[in-house]
Amino acid sequence: MSFFFVDLRPMNRSATHVVTEFILLGFPGCWKIQIFLFSLFLVIYVLTLLGNGAIIYAVRCNPRLHTPMYFLLGNFAFLEIWYVSSTVPNMLANILSKTKAISFSGCFLQFYFFFSLGTTECLFLAVMAYDRYLAICHPLQYPAIMTGRFCGKLVSFCWLAGFLGYPIPIFFISQLPFCGPNIIDHFLCDMDPLMALSCAPAPITECIFYTQSSLVLFFTSIYILRSYILLLRAVFQVPSAAGQIKAFSTCGSHLVVVSLFYGTVMVMYVSPTYGIPTLWQKILTLVYSVMTPLFNPLIYSLRNKDMKLALRNVLFGMRVHQNL
């Protein structure tokens, strides 16, 4: 997608200093703090890759998990690997860098992938809520509706809609005049810091971008909320306590992930952020972009018996293989 962000900015600003790179301040501090943060984020990144990779491997290799729910979960884990990789590797390099610079094109590429993957995650969470709703509220029709082909179409829709929604608005943002300063008080290229550095206001572009992001968050969150209201109503109508517990166990983990992700994202992109200190904006961004992909494997494996058993078999199988 790099062709979207070639430097085609107008030449009528040649008399002024044209920004060719940005400075990401990240988390300022002494060298010891930087080393601590580097070690912390590196461990989180490695654990995120291992945890989500284990889920993908378990879903792929365990025949018991070849169901629509785990097919979606495996694709969601794959998405989380890419989502965290859109920010953390550059953040690690930035911590060790003396200049803390990122190129103009690199900044907007990160901006594009970060928002596209985030949008894809919102759509995946809505699709997973739809899957749980069908499984619990319409169990007899579920096998006929959630076929492998239909699941493949849903997954394809999530990826395509997530990545085709932002090239045009981000392209127009990249064409705004950036003539200095070029310092971004964040650890990634985000909308608010970039718009603050633009030399000319762009209310229409900004309005379109935030409207699009808000609509995605609003409609997916409303749909997820509606699905869980109907789902909980169906669960409470189950006569046996064991049936209720089983139903809660299959959707409880998904509800925890949804609450963690949407809670922090809406604070950042729906509510006004001008009253939130910069440090807290960074921490909130860390929660939904770095910590949520880390917690997802733990949440799904600890609250789901089938996934817990599959991961245990994966680890046990690896140990047996190493001993042989």
Side-chain angles (χ1 to χ4, degrees):
M1 293 293 180
S2 60
F3 60 88
F4 285 114
F5 309 112
V6 291
D7 195 356
L8 299 175
R9 292 167 289 170
M11 298 301 295
N12 58 1
R13 290 178 286 110
S14 57
T16 61
H17 172 66
V18 179
V19 170
T20 59
E21 63 181 19
F22 295 100
I23 307 299
L24 293 174
L25 294 183
F27 294 92
C30 64
W31 183 244
K32 290 184 178 179
I33 293 178
Q34 296 297 302
I35 293 298
F36 169 75
L37 291 176
F38 177 85
S39 303
L40 176 63
F41 292 138
L42 179 61
V43 170
I44 290 175
Y45 183 57
V46 171
L47 290 176
T48 301
L49 296 182
L50 291 175
N52 286 285
I55 287 180
I56 296 172
Y57 184 79
V59 172
R60 183 179 178 84
C61 298
N62 193 321
R64 293 184 60 187
L65 301 185
H66 292 176
T67 63
M69 184 180 85
Y70 294 108
F71 174 75
L72 294 173
L73 179 56
N75 278 274
F76 187 69
F78 179 73
L79 167 65
E80 292 292 64
I81 290 176
W82 284 103
Y83 190 42
V84 74
S85 297
S86 70
T87 56
V88 174
N90 183 75
M91 182 167 56
L92 294 174
N94 182 267
I95 291 175
L96 298 180
S97 172
K98 292 183 179 180
T99 62
K100 301 188 179 299
I102 183 172
S103 68
F104 186 91
S105 298
C107 182
F108 278 92
L109 273 174
Q110 184 189 59
F111 184 25
Y112 168 70
F113 280 106
F114 181 68
F115 270 87
S116 296
L117 290 165
T119 301
T120 306
E121 178 150 350
C122 291
L123 297 174
F124 256 104
L125 290 173
V127 168
M128 293 169 74
Y130 173 69
D131 174 72
R132 291 299 83 208
Y133 161 75
L134 281 180
I136 294 176
C137 297
H138 302 283
L140 297 180
Q141 294 89 348
Y142 179 76
I145 298 175
M146 290 299 290
T147 61
R149 184 175 182 180
F150 184 60
C151 282
K153 289 181 179 180
L154 290 176
V155 169
S156 299
F157 168 77
C158 292
W159 284 101
L160 289 174
F163 275 83
L164 294 179
Y166 285 99
I168 294 177
I170 291 181
F171 171 79
F172 282 112
I173 294 172
S174 71
Q175 301 308 296
L176 294 175
F178 293 93
C179 45
N182 64 337
I183 298 175
I184 297 177
D185 191 6
H186 213 314
F187 61 85
L188 54 80
C189 294
D190 205 353
M191 180 63 178
D192 284 342
L194 284 171
M195 294 304 299
L197 296 181
S198 175
C199 302
I204 296 178
T205 302
E206 194 171 359
C207 180
I208 292 174
F209 186 91
Y210 278 115
T211 300
Q212 180 177 335
S213 301
S214 299
L215 286 176
V216 170
L217 288 171
F218 176 76
F219 282 111
T220 55
S221 62
I222 290 298
Y223 181 81
I224 292 171
L225 181 62
R226 174 184 175 276
S227 297
Y228 272 99
I229 290 175
L230 296 175
L231 188 149
L232 290 175
R233 187 174 67 179
V235 167
F236 286 123
Q237 292 176 354
V238 175
S240 65
Q244 292 182 356
I245 294 174
K246 183 179 180 180
F248 275 119
S249 67
T250 58
C251 62
S253 55
H254 181 251
L255 191 57
V256 171
V257 172
V258 168
S259 302
L260 184 64
F261 180 77
Y262 274 93
T264 51
V265 169
M266 285 189 171
V267 171
M268 285 296 299
Y269 297 108
V270 177
S271 62
T273 59
Y274 54 81
I276 304 177
T278 304
L279 178 60
W280 278 105
Q281 292 186 35
K282 296 177 185 179
I283 292 174
L284 288 172
T285 306
L286 272 177
V287 171
Y288 71 80
S289 65
V290 178
M291 301 309 297
T292 301
L294 171 67
F295 291 149
N296 284 349
L298 296 175
I299 293 171
Y300 281 113
S301 62
L302 292 177
R303 296 185 61 88
N304 189 294
K305 292 182 179 179
D306 291 335
M307 180 57 66
K308 191 187 302 183
L309 179 61
L311 290 175
R312 190 180 302 156
N313 291 338
V314 168
L315 295 175
F316 180 75
M318 292 175 61
R319 290 175 184 173
V320 170
H321 181 72
Q322 289 175 357
N323 291 334
L324 294 177

